[in-house]
Amino acid sequence: MMGSRQQAQSALFYEFSIETHVPADHMLRAVDRFVDLAEIRQHLAPFYSSAGRPSVDPELMIRMLLVGYIMGTGPSFSTE
């Protein structure tokens, strides 16, 4: 229903700032400085369809995998 706004817009959304939650000396910030994934979207573009819903960003997926491995929460590939 359209009408006048009764409360501040920010009260309707969850606000998250990575700067306030990750310390400046955290290991993930060091990884971010050295891992350059700027060209990954262009490299993987031929493998993505132009039809349908947009896919998850490949740079984001690779970053999530790296964080999982670094923090010890990623998938393990044991040879047992």
Side-chain angles (χ1 to χ4, degrees), residues 35-52:
V35 176
D36 181 22
L37 297 172
E39 297 176 3
I40 198 74
R41 285 186 201 95
Q42 181 181 3
H43 181 72
L44 295 176
F47 300 102
Y48 286 87
S49 173
S50 60

Side-chain angles (χ1 to χ4, degrees), residues 6-62:
Q6 298 298 323
Q7 54 184 299
Q9 190 75 12
S10 63
L12 301 175
F13 299 99
Y14 176 73
E15 294 182 15
F16 180 83
S17 170
I18 195 80
E19 298 301 322
T20 60
H21 287 81
V22 179
D25 61 344
H26 197 276
M27 175 179 38
L28 294 178
R29 290 191 186 266
V31 170
D32 188 45
R33 282 193 296 271
F34 292 106
V35 176
D36 181 22
L37 297 172
E39 297 176 3
I40 198 74
R41 285 186 201 95
Q42 181 181 3
H43 181 72
L44 295 176
F47 300 102
Y48 286 87
S49 173
S50 60
R53 292 179 54 115
S55 180
V56 175
D57 181 16
E59 180 181 350
L60 178 62
M61 290 296 293
I62 292 172

